[in-house]
Amino acid sequence: MTQQQQLQNTNSTLTAEPVQFYPQRRETRSTCCYCGVGCGVIITTEGKQIVDVKGDPEHPANFGRLCTKGSTLHLTAKLDARALYPEMRLSRDVPREKVSWDSALDHVVDRFADIIQTHGPDAVAFYISGQLLTEDYYVFNKLAKGLIGTNNVDTNSRLCMSSAVAGYKVTLGADAPPACYEDIDHTQCLFIAGSNTAFAHPIVFRRIEDAKANNPDMKIVVVDPRRTDTAQLADLHLAILPGTDVALFNGLLHVMLWEGLLDMQYIRDHTEGFEALKETVREYTPKMVADICGISEKDIIQAAKWFGAGPTLSMYCMGLNQSIHGTEKNAALINLHLATGQIGKPGAGPFSLTGQPNAMGGREVGGMANLLSGHRDLGNAEHRAEVARLWGVPEVPATPGKTAVEMFDAVKSGEIKAIWIACTNPAHSMPDLNNVLASLRNAELIVLQDAFNNTDSNQYADVFLPATTWGEKEGTVTNSERRITRVRPAAPKPGEARHDWEAVVDFAQRLEQKLGKTKALFNYPDTETIFNEHRESTRGRDLDITGLSYSILETQGPQQWPFKSGASQGEARLYTDGVFQKPDGKAHFMSAVYKGTADKPDARHPFHLLTGRLRDQWHGMSRTGIVPQLFNHEEQPVIWMHADDMQRRAFKHGDIVKVSNKRGSLVVRVQASDEVQPAQIFMPMHWSSQFMHGLGVNALMPPAVDKFSKQPELKHTAVKIEKLDLPWQMVVMRNCDDAQLISKVRKLLKSFDYASCGLYGRDAGMVMLRASHHAAPDAALIAELDALLDMAEDAPMLTYNDAKRGISKHILVQHNQVTGVRLIGETLAADWLREVMSQGTLTDELRRWALAPLSAPPAGQHSRGKIICNCLDVSENEIMETLEMGADLPTLQNKLKCGTSCGSCVPELKRLVKLHGKVHA
């Protein structure tokens, strides 16, 4: 029997959803689905289609502001990159085919049940996501730990926040950020460590800019190896060498101790372990720390004095967390707050910025391999018994679950037979990607539950379950400042997609029957029922929300926890009374010493490779990567390198280089940057095999993990870099908003030694393919590409072919508009032809010169250059021309309107004014 016949035999009819009436135009309050700032949004829907989004002026996280990503969310509410129905295959050597939900779930139930009964519950695993809603997270956790009996449920939050969790717990006793956004307005010293807030949390950065404008005496200290947009706002930038944070923080404490800046009364009354820490930091003199960190003694002393004077608010993110010593980095920074009493008061406290929209909610419900509901610990027998009673199960298993890196290693070894992946893309986001891909290929069963069909992990799934996403989901999320917000659906579920919690509950109910369970654990008709059970799990805990309800969130708006029964509101700040979540009620100092990075540069791999974010993209780009205008600021993957290093290696701007270490290699273009120091290079983490030939920068990152948090070191590795000679070149541009066509073009990336494929423009935009090769590729490959893009010889084109020189140029013209360009062999005109495609009509003058080898447009035409302001489509060249006329920042904003919408481009505008303005801002 064929796969198709087997699938047809198990197919059954889906129950039709009741017909609903959708008003022609309506507004729905919800949240942004990107970072952990938790911005409120108002979604406008016409009929069933989301058509606009704006910031919610009443939401306390953003007061109406949105960044470039959030303000374009409505442009992602299209279905061409969406998964709309379940798919399944019974063999890896055949493609998946459309099936019913009944067929898909019954198949997965049979496979899971067989594996559990044959190999035990720890032979299955769930790898989930900080982008799920709290209610989704809760049922996944209960499914694994309550029904199946395995703690093999972990999340991509392991990759971003687990060291922050461990740092809080080891020092303060609970995973509870003690500060809030309002503290930005009250602090006198803002200490930002390991966070490019301007890119990663733009709306928080807008608030920082406002606070600095309102209080010019406020000091901003930024700790980061790179001179980022965030660092450029700083009064003091500590450009430490990668991985030396613990040495710096110990050095600051040494100075504070010496200068009498510590609050000894607070230390005596509210902390333990200071004497041991004092002995540790005694040797961290300014001289020693300056030598380790590569900064000046003077700057170390100045930073310590500002921090000690207070009130001081620290903000930190992946630069501390994504390290094999991430817990110690977090704790060493928290030590500074405890030693100075800078906690539990306005404008003070250690504030971890959350990377994903609901990583906090996932931690609250215990959705990780070492946690249980209500901030309970899996290793605590009393905690396990409490959760077992709540769920009505005999016990919660005591055996620790596999954390992210361990989980995929266990899949590779065969210890884990089946893995269910939800709302995340491990084939891009994990470290040492070649090893992870080998794991995915070795799995007996992979279930992928996702809203998008364009992720790198998609190809490995045996069963694909379509999920709802932003604008369609219902539930709650918790942001960085512990604020819970109701998420409301603005549009119906598309196709046959289901809410994540619905799919899990349906599966769990079927699995209960298959395993012969007599007690039903998953009687959840809606998300409110799940929330209420989660709420009960928090009773008496540090995050007690027993006074909170859907009704309160609906009528009174977002609320912070704790929100205990009988309370009228939540608590903005924690530990105001100096009582901490340790058994003795005191905070505990953690004594940490400096240790190096997992990978250290050597003669063969002399460069530090750092990773981070772009301003206008997010994570693996499954959502932002379908919006052309979000590519306008950075259109293709590149490595940034210091100009001196480029000169020493005879690299030119735009050269193609190979970056490699023992785990893999990447082929990308190199660009000069004054943001990186000598011997350091930087590449954004977003780019994957969907956008380049190669797996992305995570392929080079070490799988080594922090011994406390099990978080891998995704921020740093050591590499070598060498120039490649790839003489054959091609640039292809085609107006296109067909996601399936773009996907077909991207399948060709592997055919070239170097290739990148992104988008550009506004509205529908265009697909951009750039490729280079060691020799001219087979003509059949180019013919295939031409056919895909409807640019074959019989199309209405301007053409130029010189076979002897290997030059071939096609310019597709439709209705006097350039709608396609394919340049082979000579590509000088690519950039200005892109502007012609994006901006205007093919005039007679342009027609005469379109095929000429010109790097600049003909007379009378203007090249716009890089887009700086994405919201209002203002380019670098337009800004430069205005600066040449004597403009300052306010003039730029008044004349060109750049920087007056979301504000994300303001730091770059300030830099351009400083470098090129005749009147400095």
Side-chain angles (χ1 to χ4, degrees):
M1 184 180 291
T2 68
Q3 169 173 308
Q4 180 63 37
Q5 290 170 326
Q6 293 179 62
L7 297 181
Q8 287 174 343
N9 287 346
T10 57
N11 236 343
S12 61
T13 304
L14 284 168
T15 303
E17 297 238 353
V19 176
Q20 299 183 39
F21 172 73
Y22 296 95
Q24 186 58 30
R25 190 175 180 90
R26 65 193 184 280
E27 291 186 337
T28 305
R29 278 189 159 86
S30 189
T31 61
C32 177
C33 61
Y34 290 124
C35 74
V37 175
C39 295
V41 299
I42 298 176
I43 306 169
T44 300
T45 311
E46 291 184 354
K48 299 181 180 181
Q49 181 63 43
I50 293 172
V51 296
D52 196 18
V53 66
K54 61 184 177 182
D56 183 350
E58 297 179 11
H59 199 291
N62 60 317
F63 298 109
R65 284 174 160 169
L66 291 177
C67 70
T68 55
K69 299 180 287 290
S71 62
T72 54
L73 268 170
H74 60 293
L75 300 179
T76 71
K78 50 189 179 181
L79 301 184
D80 53 356
R82 291 291 301 277
L84 299 175
Y85 48 81
E87 296 177 346
M88 189 167 74
R89 62 183 173 189
L90 302 178
S91 172
R92 287 278 168 84
D93 57 3
V94 296
R96 295 191 305 266
E97 296 179 357
K98 179 179 178 180
V99 296
S100 71
W101 272 96
D102 284 339
S103 298
L105 290 180
D106 284 345
H107 175 72
V108 178
V109 164
D110 289 344
R111 293 293 305 278
F112 265 61
D114 180 63
I115 290 169
I116 291 166
Q117 291 166 348
T118 304
H119 302 284
D122 288 336
V124 301
F126 298 86
Y127 186 63
I128 55 180
S129 166
Q131 296 160 60
L132 293 171
L133 304 190
T134 300
E135 293 79 359
D136 302 325
Y137 248 123
Y138 187 88
V139 294
F140 262 117
N141 197 42
K142 188 176 181 180
L143 166 63
K145 297 171 183 174
L147 174 59
I148 294 175
T150 180
N151 291 314
N152 285 342
V153 54
D154 213 46
T155 163
N156 59 11
S157 297
R158 181 71 58 186
L159 309 182
C160 61
M161 299 308 300
S162 54
S163 287
V165 173
Y168 277 138
K169 290 175 72 173
V170 75
T171 54
L172 309 182
D175 174 22
C180 61
Y181 297 149
E182 185 183 273
D183 287 320
I184 297 170
D185 306 326
H186 299 291
T187 191
Q188 284 298 117
C189 176
L190 180 63
F191 190 90
I192 301 174
S195 168
N196 185 10
T197 318
F199 281 17
H201 300 93
I203 299 307
V204 167
F205 194 72
R206 301 284 84 75
R207 194 157 185 167
I208 293 170
E209 290 174 323
D210 290 346
K212 181 67 171 176
N214 293 331
N215 178 17
D217 292 332
M218 179 181 82
K219 302 303 181 185
I220 299 177
V221 180
V222 173
V223 182
D224 197 310
R226 295 191 297 130
R227 185 166 173 75
T228 62
D229 277 18
T230 304
Q232 291 176 48
L233 181 68
D235 297 284
L236 178 60
H237 175 208
L238 301 177
I240 63 172
L241 292 173
T244 60
D245 308 78
V246 168
L248 173 66
F249 301 152
N250 283 354
L252 296 180
L253 187 56
H254 177 104
V255 174
M256 291 179 201
L257 184 64
W258 185 263
E259 295 286 340
L261 295 172
L262 303 187
D263 188 336
M264 300 308 297
Q265 188 65 47
Y266 190 91
I267 291 171
R268 284 190 291 270
D269 293 346
H270 302 295
T271 71
E272 289 288 347
F274 181 70
E275 289 303 316
L277 177 61
K278 186 167 69 172
E279 285 301 310
T280 297
V281 303
R282 186 186 303 275
E283 65 180 275
Y284 284 84
T285 64
K287 174 66 169 66
M288 173 183 171
V289 173
D291 290 343
I292 292 172
C293 298
I295 56 178
S296 73
E297 296 179 52
K298 177 183 175 183
D299 286 348
I300 294 168
I301 294 169
Q302 181 64 79
K305 289 181 176 179
W306 284 346
F307 195 111
T312 298
L313 176 70
S314 65
M315 288 182 164
Y316 48 98
C317 200
M318 303 310 157
L320 298 193
N321 298 343
Q322 290 180 331
S323 163
I324 58 168
H325 309 301
T327 301
E328 293 166 313
K329 290 180 180 181
N330 275 261
L333 179 54
I334 294 171
N335 286 343
L336 302 183
H337 286 276
L338 296 174
T340 57
Q342 303 286 350
I343 189 170
K345 61 181 70 172
F351 194 178
S352 166
L353 296 175
T354 311
Q356 296 188 87
N358 199 37
M360 284 286 288
R363 287 140 60 182
E364 292 161 13
V365 304
M368 299 179 81
N370 59 318
L371 301 178
L372 287 171
S373 299
H375 281 180
R376 291 175 175 85
D377 285 323
L378 184 65
N380 186 311
E382 184 178 340
H383 287 182
R384 294 197 304 275
E386 289 171 358
V387 173
R389 285 194 296 272
L390 174 70
W391 286 347
V393 298
E395 63 179 1
V396 172
T399 304
K402 302 289 188 186
T403 58
V405 171
E406 296 168 338
M407 184 176 288
F408 286 95
D409 283 346
V411 171
K412 184 179 181 182
S413 71
E415 181 182 352
I416 291 175
K417 311 293 183 181
I419 184 168
W420 186 316
I421 300 167
C423 197
T424 187
N425 184 20
H428 166 249
S429 59
M430 290 287 292
D432 193 10
L433 276 177
N434 283 298
N435 184 65
V436 172
L437 299 190
S439 301
L440 293 172
R441 286 189 291 267
N442 191 58
E444 290 187 16
L445 176 67
I446 296 176
V447 180
L448 180 62
Q449 183 171 326
D450 208 309
F452 293 91
N453 61 18
N454 59 354
T455 71
D456 306 84
S457 301
N458 183 18
Q459 62 182 299
Y460 299 98
D462 301 299
V463 179
F464 193 108
L465 303 177
T468 53
T469 185
W470 176 85
E472 302 153 6
K473 294 173 71 71
E474 180 178 14
T476 56
V477 295
T478 307
N479 73 355
S480 292
E481 63 167 356
R482 297 171 282 106
R483 191 177 299 277
I484 300 172
T485 302
R486 275 279 279 128
V487 174
R488 305 170 181 87
K493 294 180 283 189
E496 298 174 15
R498 290 187 181 181
H499 299 314
D500 290 287
W501 71 270
E502 285 182 314
V504 173
V505 167
D506 192 350
F507 171 80
Q509 291 171 344
R510 294 169 193 246
L511 187 62
E512 283 176 329
Q513 296 179 5
K514 188 74 175 180
L515 295 178
K517 303 290 185 179
T518 57
K519 182 172 182 178
L521 302 179
F522 291 84
N523 293 324
Y524 302 122
D526 51 38
T527 56
E528 186 171 12
T529 311
I530 303 171
F531 178 86
N532 290 343
E533 185 173 309
H534 158 57
R535 178 181 64 192
E536 184 57 32
S537 78
T538 69
R539 186 177 297 277
R541 305 292 300 167
D542 66 290
L543 71 163
D544 192 325
I545 56 169
T546 50
L548 199 58
S549 66
Y550 268 28
S551 176
I552 289 174
L553 292 172
E554 290 282 0
T555 58
Q556 299 179 31
Q559 302 293 327
Q560 289 175 282
W561 60 254
F563 195 114
K564 299 178 182 179
S565 180
S568 59
Q569 63 181 27
E571 296 180 25
R573 296 174 187 87
L574 304 181
Y575 313 126
T576 55
D577 57 359
V579 177
F580 294 89
Q581 292 293 323
K582 290 285 190 177
D584 58 5
K586 293 187 175 184
H588 290 196
F589 289 101
M590 181 183 187
S591 184
V593 298
Y594 162 68
K595 309 179 193 76
T597 53
D599 288 347
K600 298 172 179 62
D602 55 29
R604 293 189 61 196
H605 302 94
F607 282 93
H608 298 274
L609 172 58
L610 310 177
T611 69
R613 296 178 184 270
L614 292 173
R615 189 190 74 185
D616 298 340
Q617 298 291 353
W618 198 73
H619 279 205
M621 299 167 61
S622 57
R623 182 182 298 277
T624 55
I626 63 175
V627 180
Q629 75 182 66
L630 294 180
F631 288 78
N632 291 352
H633 189 243
E634 299 290 349
E635 178 247 308
Q636 60 179 314
V638 298
I639 285 278
W640 280 281
M641 191 178 202
H642 193 276
D644 290 349
D645 285 328
M646 290 185 65
Q647 184 178 24
R648 277 192 289 269
R649 285 157 181 77
F651 293 171
K652 298 190 299 294
H653 186 86
D655 278 350
I656 296 172
V657 296
K658 180 181 180 181
V659 182
S660 61
N661 62 14
K662 62 183 179 182
R663 283 176 287 274
S665 63
L666 301 171
V667 177
V668 293
R669 294 190 184 276
V670 63
Q671 289 186 3
S673 172
D674 60 1
E675 289 190 3
V676 294
Q677 299 183 62
Q680 298 177 17
I681 57 178
F682 172 81
M683 183 174 177
M685 46 78 75
H686 311 286
W687 307 109
S688 72
S689 59
Q690 302 295 309
F691 304 96
M692 63 183 293
H693 179 188
L695 298 177
V697 73
N698 287 341
L700 308 182
M701 293 296 146
V705 299
D706 180 288
K707 66 180 180 180
F708 301 102
S709 69
K710 305 298 183 181
Q711 180 163 354
E713 186 156 286
L714 281 164
K715 270 290 182 184
H716 173 271
T717 188
V719 297
K720 64 180 178 180
I721 183 168
E722 53 194 315
K723 184 177 177 179
L724 297 184
D725 182 19
L726 302 177
W728 184 90
Q729 296 186 45
M730 177 177 71
V731 176
V732 178
M733 301 173 276
R734 184 69 166 94
N735 286 357
C736 179
D737 62 353
D738 182 346
Q740 299 307 314
L741 175 58
I742 294 171
S743 177
K744 291 177 182 177
V745 173
R746 286 174 173 161
K747 290 186 187 326
L748 302 179
L749 293 176
K750 295 180 180 179
S751 304
F752 307 99
D753 295 328
Y754 161 83
S756 71
C757 185
L759 307 178
Y760 187 81
R762 300 181 79 81
D763 301 321
M766 68 184 78
V767 60
M768 295 276 307
L769 171 64
R770 302 175 186 271
S772 295
H773 207 55
H774 64 276
D778 194 302
L781 176 62
I782 305 305
E784 179 184 357
L785 178 62
D786 286 345
L788 272 177
L789 299 176
D790 290 329
M791 293 181 65
E793 293 291 346
D794 56 348
M797 292 188 298
L798 305 177
T799 61
Y800 173 80
N801 293 296
D802 185 340
K804 186 174 182 180
R805 296 170 57 204
I807 295 174
S808 174
K809 301 183 181 184
H810 289 183
I811 299 179
L812 184 64
V813 182
Q814 297 171 307
H815 308 294
N816 213 32
Q817 299 281 329
V818 176
T819 58
V821 173
R822 196 262 281 147
L823 307 176
I824 291 177
E826 187 277 293
T827 62
L828 288 173
D831 287 347
W832 67 264
L833 284 174
R834 181 184 65 183
E835 298 305 327
V836 172
M837 286 184 64
S838 180
Q839 296 289 320
T841 302
L842 184 67
T843 64
D844 290 341
E845 179 71 8
L846 288 173
R847 185 183 292 268
R848 280 193 294 270
W849 293 100
L851 296 171
L854 299 178
S855 58
Q861 304 298 321
H862 296 280
S863 175
R864 303 187 72 220
K866 176 181 177 180
I867 302 299
I868 302 296
C869 177
N870 235 333
C871 296
L872 298 170
D873 197 32
V874 183
S875 72
E876 184 173 28
N877 288 355
E878 291 160 345
I879 292 167
M880 296 293 287
E881 290 171 3
T882 309
L883 288 175
E884 288 174 3
M885 294 186 287
D888 56 8
L889 180 60
T891 304
L892 286 176
Q893 293 175 310
N894 288 331
K895 183 175 181 180
L896 301 178
K897 304 303 179 186
C898 50
T900 61
S901 182
C902 79
S904 295
C905 64
V906 169
E908 192 164 1
L909 292 174
K910 288 180 178 178
R911 184 165 69 251
L912 290 173
V913 170
K914 183 176 181 180
L915 290 174
H916 305 288
K918 297 180 180 178
V919 180
H920 286 182

